Amino acid sequence: MIFFGSVYPWQLYFYYPQEKINEGQFLIGRLSGAKKLDLAVLKPLYESNDLGEIDPNYRGFQEMARNFVLAAGLGEKPYGFCVFVIERSDLVQIDIVLTAPGWRRKGLGRFLLGALEQACLPGTVIYVDQVTEIGRKFFMSCGFTKDVNLFKIAGRPDENCFPAQNVIAWK
């Protein structure tokens, strides 16, 4: 069992899609004691009536099998999971972290993020693109910082962009 400083003896589970076997085997090699995860055991967690701020129709639940999943629980029953996408070897996006209602605020989410960080190479950027208000507070309490992506407001002229007459119209 893996502890990561938690008061609970969490067992870690890991799932990776077969088409991402190289990345999956690399990550599991960095997660001492992790067991293979059957995604079906997570269904009761995301089909429950208490998802907090998360939309019960969130499409990430249906797309989970295409991504990497860390789960943790006591014994053979997971009580929380973290779904993530490896964009590059040094860039990982967290899709969702969800814990069962009775296990919230007991260190399980932090444990999952600690396991994810352990699995990644030093220097890897781990980020969250979309987050709920409670999620934002959670991630910031775990050391994430607020950042802003680059953006441009369409319609404002810029000397570094192509002039309008050089743009080919879309059909």
Side-chain angles (χ1 to χ4, degrees), residues 20 84 112:
K20 298 177 183 174
F84 62 98
L112 289 165

Side-chain angles (χ1 to χ4, degrees), residues 67-88:
N67 298 316
F68 296 88
V69 182
L70 285 170
L74 300 174
E76 298 297 316
K77 184 174 181 182
Y79 293 109
F81 62 88
C82 171
V83 179
F84 62 98
V85 177
I86 299 173
E87 295 184 5
R88 297 189 320 244

Side-chain angles (χ1 to χ4, degrees), residues 11-24:
Q11 172 61 57
L12 188 64
Y13 299 90
F14 184 61
Y15 166 84
Y16 59 87
Q18 282 302 314
E19 61 272 10
K20 298 177 183 174
I21 193 167
N22 291 338
E23 297 99 326

Side-chain angles (χ1 to χ4, degrees), residues 53-55 128 130-139:
E53 295 180 305
I54 299 169
D55 179 354
V128 182
Q130 297 179 4
V131 66
T132 64
E133 186 57 34
I134 291 172
R136 179 177 311 285
K137 290 176 185 174
F138 165 71
F139 284 110

Side-chain angles (χ1 to χ4, degrees), residues 24-121:
Q25 288 181 342
F26 172 79
L27 293 172
I28 204 163
R30 297 179 58 84
L31 295 168
S32 175
K35 295 182 177 181
K36 185 177 178 180
L37 174 65
D38 176 2
L39 291 180
V41 302
L42 299 179
K43 262 190 157 186
L45 288 174
Y46 63 83
E47 289 182 345
S48 82
N49 293 328
D50 186 1
L51 296 176
E53 295 180 305
I54 299 169
D55 179 354
N57 298 315
Y58 175 62
R59 71 182 169 124
F61 296 141
Q62 287 74 40
E63 298 173 359
M64 198 179 308
R66 296 187 320 184
N67 298 316
F68 296 88
V69 182
L70 285 170
L74 300 174
E76 298 297 316
K77 184 174 181 182
Y79 293 109
F81 62 88
C82 171
V83 179
F84 62 98
V85 177
I86 299 173
E87 295 184 5
R88 297 189 320 244
S89 62
D90 63 346
L91 185 64
V92 172
Q93 177 188 5
I94 295 175
D95 181 54
I96 189 168
V97 175
L98 181 67
T99 57
W103 291 95
R104 293 179 186 151
R105 305 199 56 81
K106 296 186 186 215
L108 180 54
R110 288 178 185 275
F111 172 80
L112 289 165
L113 291 181
L116 175 57
E117 193 169 343
Q118 177 182 328
C120 295
L121 292 172

